[in-house]
Each structure stands twice: as C-alpha cells, then as structure tokens.
Amino acid sequence: MVTLSTPAFAPPENLASRSMERLALREQATESLRNNGWRLLYTGLTPLRASVTLLDPSESLQISLQIPLTDDVEDWDLWIEACNRQLSVPLRQWLEEQGVEQSTLSRMSGSSNGTAEPLRLSNMLQVARWLQGPIDQIEQLAEQNQCQVVLHLAGLGPNS
C-alpha cells in the first residue's frame, strides 16, 4: 500500500478535524469492498481531498473515491475503471444471472477464440449495476454529508 500526502500541508485546526472526519468517511465508504476481497492500492490526502483506490480480486476493475475536504466542493467523485480485459468470476456469474447471452459473455471474457472484447462503456454500465450495493453505501454517506456522488466510468474500448 502506498500513501500519498502533501508534506508542506499544515491545515488550520478546524480543517484538521474536518480532514479526520472525511478520512473516517473514506474508510467507511470503502469498507464493503475491502470486506469482499478488494485490495487497497493507495490512499491520498491533499489540501483539497482525501482519496482511495481499490483493486478487485481478479484485477479486472479499479475503484477510486475522492472526497473533498473543503465545504465549497459538494461532489464526491467515484471512478470505476476497467484495468483488464478479463471479467472477474463474480461479475461473470452476476451477468449470467441478469440474462446476458453466453456469446456476449464469451467475447467479453476472452473465452472464445482466445480474444477478449474490450470492456466498453456499455459493459461498464453492467459493472456499475453489479456494484450497486457498494455504490449505494457511498451515495448514502455522501447524502448524509450534504454531498452528491459523481460516477465516472472508464472502459478499455477506443471510445471509453
């Protein structure tokens, strides 16, 4: 795990307590992912935000959450990014349960003809639905703090 911070950053007293609250929120928001085997890649703290990035167990997906430390920014940024052409087994099983055709799953997972279809944005919408529970938890925490979550999706296709 790598932790990044700005060395010359010395927040005023009230900002220091706000930062501690936001760090606790960052941990709470990502707890369900970590409890389901997601690996912590790094955390960061700057004068403007606290961030965390996690990698799923199959190394197919990466999630980054950025929580602002100041009151003038109300959006939490949540990034879901494909980082491997292979689908994780739990995601593949979930897609099967949703009725995604076997031929589509085979192309997406690379199990047909040895070539994988890139995880395009349309695929990433399915990923976001699969992660609805953790996303709901993050959104609920943001709303409790009078903020909203902005969801960013990045696939592996040329238009993602």
Side-chain angles (χ1 to χ4, degrees):
M1 174 185 67
V2 177
T3 301
L4 307 173
S5 64
T6 306
F9 176 54
E13 185 72 28
N14 61 344
L15 189 55
S17 68
R18 176 86 169 169
S19 297
M20 295 306 290
E21 291 171 9
R22 294 299 169 110
L23 289 172
L25 283 173
R26 178 184 72 184
E27 296 306 309
Q28 188 178 357
T30 58
E31 181 179 18
S32 68
L33 292 167
R34 289 187 321 251
N35 289 342
N36 284 300
W38 288 63
R39 189 173 76 226
L40 180 64
L41 289 182
Y42 64 84
T43 61
L45 179 64
T46 70
L48 299 177
R49 69 180 146 255
S51 60
V52 61
T53 298
L54 301 157
L55 184 65
D56 87 311
S58 69
E59 300 184 357
S60 302
L61 301 170
Q62 176 177 299
I63 286 185
S64 297
L65 176 63
Q66 297 177 348
I67 300 175
L69 297 179
T70 60
D71 290 328
D72 59 333
V73 179
E74 298 177 357
D75 293 342
W76 291 21
D77 286 306
L78 179 64
W79 293 85
I80 302 175
E81 301 176 66
C83 51
N84 190 331
R85 293 180 182 268
Q86 299 294 320
L87 296 178
S88 66
V89 172
L91 175 56
R92 183 180 172 85
Q93 290 170 343
W94 184 85
L95 288 169
E96 287 173 352
E97 291 169 6
Q98 302 306 307
V100 175
E101 295 177 8
Q102 281 295 330
S103 60
T104 302
L105 281 172
S106 295
R107 284 194 315 275
M108 288 170 61
S109 64
S111 59
S112 69
N113 302 331
T115 58
E117 178 180 291
L119 289 173
R120 299 182 315 235
L121 287 181
S122 58
N123 304 133
M124 292 305 291
L125 289 173
Q126 293 288 342
V127 169
R129 288 186 195 105
W130 178 59
L131 292 170
Q132 186 169 350
I135 291 172
D136 286 346
Q137 181 180 5
I138 292 167
E139 187 174 42
Q140 182 180 19
L141 288 170
E143 287 174 354
Q144 289 171 357
N145 287 275
Q146 291 78 45
C147 297
Q148 70 176 6
V149 176
V150 177
L151 179 61
H152 306 269
L153 301 174
L156 292 175
N159 297 321
S160 294

